[in-house]
Amino acid sequence: VHSPPPQQPLVYGSFDSWIENLDALGRDVEVELLGVENVGADRQVAALLGLEVGAEVQRVVRLRKVGGVPFAHVVAWVPAAIAARYDHSALKSVQMMSLLERAGCRPASAEQWISAHASPPEVAAAFDMSSAEPIMLLEQVMRDEAGAAIQF
């Protein structure tokens, strides 16, 4: 988990069209739940979610596939107070965006940044590739209408 370098330019776009694209994508995507656990937030996760270091967060790891072929390894960090309001069994089949809405958190904006990194071993294994191969890392902080971080 990395924070964005300060020199990266910001790109602005419509959050509504981004949500529509995610909804369309979600209709054809299979989700494999690889893990879910509540942990203490490290310094970066805490800073991005606006929490104290060590605050309880839910870490969800899922593999997204189309036609049985993986295309995204997704790690989501959600404040425990929000995660407690959605059905954890739904993590196997429901988009995180929908779960957040069911928990009473309407996503309204997101900040994201993209970088390239060597593949961590667990990602390399999921994609049947070497951990020396590069991957594209897309990180984002999703915020509700009040500007509070609801997911990293």
Side-chain angles (χ1 to χ4, degrees):
V1 181
H2 304 279
S3 58
Q7 70 274 10
Q8 285 185 333
L10 293 177
V11 177
Y12 297 94
S14 168
F15 188 70
D16 291 332
S17 64
W18 182 75
I19 296 294
E20 290 168 9
N21 289 339
L22 279 180
D23 285 343
L25 180 64
R27 286 190 279 270
D28 299 324
V29 173
E30 306 153 39
V31 176
E32 180 181 344
L33 181 62
L34 301 178
V36 59
E37 63 181 334
N38 281 15
V39 298
D42 65 20
R43 187 170 310 176
Q44 181 191 20
V45 171
L48 291 169
L49 290 176
L51 303 171
E52 296 290 326
V53 172
E56 189 176 8
V57 293
Q58 183 180 74
R59 180 179 184 267
V60 179
V61 182
R62 304 194 298 179
L63 189 62
R64 300 187 77 178
K65 305 174 187 180
V66 174
V69 178
F71 74 91
H73 183 272
V74 181
V75 179
W77 302 87
V78 178
I82 295 171
R85 298 193 310 248
Y86 57 71
D87 178 9
H88 296 174
S89 66
L91 288 167
K92 296 178 183 177
S93 59
V94 179
Q95 291 181 47
M96 184 60 76
M97 191 86 71
S98 297
L99 292 175
L100 291 170
E101 288 177 346
R102 290 178 189 178
C105 299
R106 185 183 180 315
S109 66
E111 304 152 25
Q112 67 181 24
W113 49 99
I114 301 171
S115 56
H117 295 271
S119 178
E122 66 275 9
V123 175
F127 287 89
D128 194 26
M129 58 189 276
S130 162
S131 61
E133 293 181 68
I135 59 166
M136 180 177 75
L137 179 64
L138 184 146
E139 296 176 294
Q140 72 177 12
V141 175
M142 195 173 304
R143 298 185 183 281
D144 64 14
E145 293 170 330
I150 58 175
Q151 178 195 354
F152 164 58

